[in-house]
Amino acid sequence: MISYPGQSRGEIEPGGDKLVPLLEERSRLEERLRLIDERAAQVDPEVVQRVRADYRSRLDYLSGEISRQATLLETTLVSYRELIGLLERGVELGERSLDELKVRSALGEYSGEDLEAIGREKKEKIEYYKGKAHSYRANVERINGVLGQIRG
């Protein structure tokens, strides 16, 4: 089974599922900071300063976490693209091998059940690689979408 960076350590999930809630929380904190500024004249300046500092601190921490998660996603994106390339190469090699099997069969090297078993095995492997590549492409799209939210 092919794994992705961070999978065993639980650092990130495919497609940035941990990052989306962080982005939502960042939006909430930014909105609260806007409301604090909007209502600053109605409250004691010390209170405004203390509350603003608290929310600014939370936002700074969150921004650091978003940046860390984004870096992990970018690393994962590179790995996924490499894996997709390897899987596509596996499909190409499998298809060539299947073509070679047909030629060898026509030459009498393989026949009957042997030919069917070997052919079936090669086709299953090709389909497996295609399916995996498709899955990784879907994750690449998801990750690009999440990273797009970060980059604005």
Side-chain angles (χ1 to χ4, degrees), residues 10-38:
E11 291 173 349
I12 61 170
E13 297 174 23
D17 294 334
K18 284 187 175 183
L19 197 49
V20 172
L22 297 177
L23 294 171
E24 291 168 352
E25 180 64 15
R26 179 178 70 180
S27 292
R28 280 191 291 275
L29 290 173
E30 289 170 341
E31 175 62 15
R32 287 180 180 160
L33 281 168
R34 188 190 66 71
L35 289 172
I36 289 168
D37 291 339
E38 198 176 274

Side-chain angles (χ1 to χ4, degrees), residues 41-56:
Q42 302 167 1
V43 182
D44 180 346
E46 274 186 46
V47 172
V48 171
Q49 183 180 5
R50 193 171 51 246
V51 172
R52 183 184 294 128
D54 175 45
Y55 279 101
R56 173 56 51 199

Side-chain angles (χ1 to χ4, degrees), residues 61-73:
Y61 172 80
L62 196 58
S63 294
E65 184 61 20
I66 288 169
S67 177
R68 187 180 83 75
Q69 290 291 326
T71 299
L72 289 170
L73 280 177

Side-chain angles (χ1 to χ4, degrees), residues 89-151:
R89 180 73 177 139
V91 168
E92 290 171 17
L93 292 173
E95 288 172 345
R96 272 199 234 151
S97 178
L98 199 54
D99 288 343
E100 181 180 331
L101 180 65
K102 291 174 186 174
V103 170
R104 291 182 180 277
S105 171
L107 296 172
E109 235 180 278
Y110 297 102
S111 64
E113 289 180 18
D114 288 343
L115 176 61
E116 286 180 33
I118 295 169
R120 184 174 45 253
E121 190 176 297
K122 290 182 183 296
K123 287 176 186 175
E124 286 172 1
K125 195 172 281 189
I126 290 168
E127 289 307 310
Y128 174 80
Y129 289 157
K130 284 180 179 180
K132 281 294 192 185
H134 176 76
S135 175
Y136 280 105
R137 275 190 218 92
N139 276 324
V140 164
E141 286 180 34
R142 288 181 62 209
I143 290 170
N144 279 327
V146 171
L147 289 173
Q149 288 179 357
I150 294 169
R151 295 177 186 131

